[in-house]
Amino acid sequence: LHPTFVTLTWRSAFKNEDLWLKIGSIVQAEFGVNVLLHLTCHLPVSDLKRILRNVREAGIRNILALRGDPPIGVDTWSPVEGGLKNAVDLIRLIRQEHGDWFCVACAAYPEVHTECWNHPDLPPSEQAQKVDLHRLKEKVDAGADFVITQFFYDIDILDRKSTRLNS
C-alpha cells in the first residue's frame, strides 16, 4: 500500500516507552515506513523530556502531540502533578527541548471537539466553533508543522475550517 506514515498510539495507561519505541523502530527500520508517534500529556514533564530524548535517539522524527483522553474510568481530563495541561504546552515543550528536529503534528476536530459542544444532542454553536478554531490556531502558533484528524462526516465543514485557519 506504500503509506506515507503509520501512527502508534500512546494510551494514558502507558508509563514506559520501551515497547512503543521498539515497535516504532522496527516499523521504520525494517519496513522503511515513517512512524508518527502519539505522545500525550499524561505524565510529568520530566518523564516527557526523557521520552522525547529516547524517541530522538531511536531516530524517530515525527510526534503527534496530544493532550490525551481521560484515564479509563474517569469522565474528565485533568493534568497530572508536574504535568502539562494541553497539547499547546506539549508542542511548546517539544520545540523548547528539540527545536525543529521533530516534525510535530497536532489534532484537529473539523466538526468541533466534543468538549467545546454546548449540548451533546445539538450541533455546536458558532461560539463553540470559534473556541475550537482558536485552540487549533494556538497549536499551530506553538509550532505544530501539520494538522491531522481521524475522520469527519462533512467535507464542507473541513473546507470552511481550513479556509478560516489560513486567513
Side-chain angles (χ1 to χ4, degrees):
L1 296 175
H2 308 291
T4 303
F5 61 88
V6 296
T7 66
L8 288 179
T9 300
W10 181 289
R11 292 192 48 205
S12 61
F14 293 175
K15 303 297 180 207
N16 173 310
E17 70 275 14
D18 294 343
L19 179 59
W20 182 66
L21 279 179
K22 183 176 182 180
I23 293 168
S25 296
I26 289 170
V27 167
Q28 199 162 271
E30 306 235 347
F31 300 109
V33 177
N34 285 317
V35 173
L36 176 66
L37 295 175
H38 294 209
L39 186 60
T40 64
C41 298
H42 75 284
L43 294 170
V45 169
S46 58
D47 289 337
L48 293 170
K49 287 180 178 182
R50 181 198 76 242
I51 290 166
L52 288 165
R53 282 190 307 271
N54 290 340
V55 169
R56 186 172 177 159
E57 287 174 16
I60 296 172
R61 299 194 61 134
N62 306 298
I63 300 285
L64 174 54
L66 303 162
R67 181 200 70 188
D69 295 326
I72 295 170
V74 177
D75 291 334
T76 58
W77 191 90
S78 60
V80 298
E81 188 174 330
L84 303 172
K85 62 183 178 179
N86 56 40
V88 173
D89 290 343
L90 181 55
I91 294 165
R92 286 183 182 134
L93 175 71
I94 293 167
R95 292 298 180 217
Q96 176 186 4
E97 295 291 311
H98 297 277
D100 289 334
W101 197 88
F102 287 110
C103 175
V104 179
C106 70
Y109 305 90
E111 298 183 23
V112 180
H113 192 286
T114 56
E115 291 180 11
C116 288
W117 284 48
N118 310 81
H119 189 280
D121 298 325
L122 299 173
S125 67
E126 188 173 316
Q127 178 186 7
Q129 292 174 33
K130 285 180 181 178
V131 167
D132 190 70
L133 185 62
H134 174 75
R135 289 181 180 158
L136 177 58
K137 185 175 181 329
E138 284 183 313
K139 292 183 238 183
V140 172
D141 290 346
D145 294 301
F146 74 99
V147 176
I148 191 169
T149 184
Q150 290 181 346
F151 59 87
F152 51 89
Y153 298 108
D154 186 337
I155 188 67
D156 294 329
I157 291 172
L158 178 64
D159 188 48
R160 282 192 305 271
K161 191 166 198 168
S162 179
T163 300
R164 289 196 323 250
L165 183 62
N166 289 322
S167 57

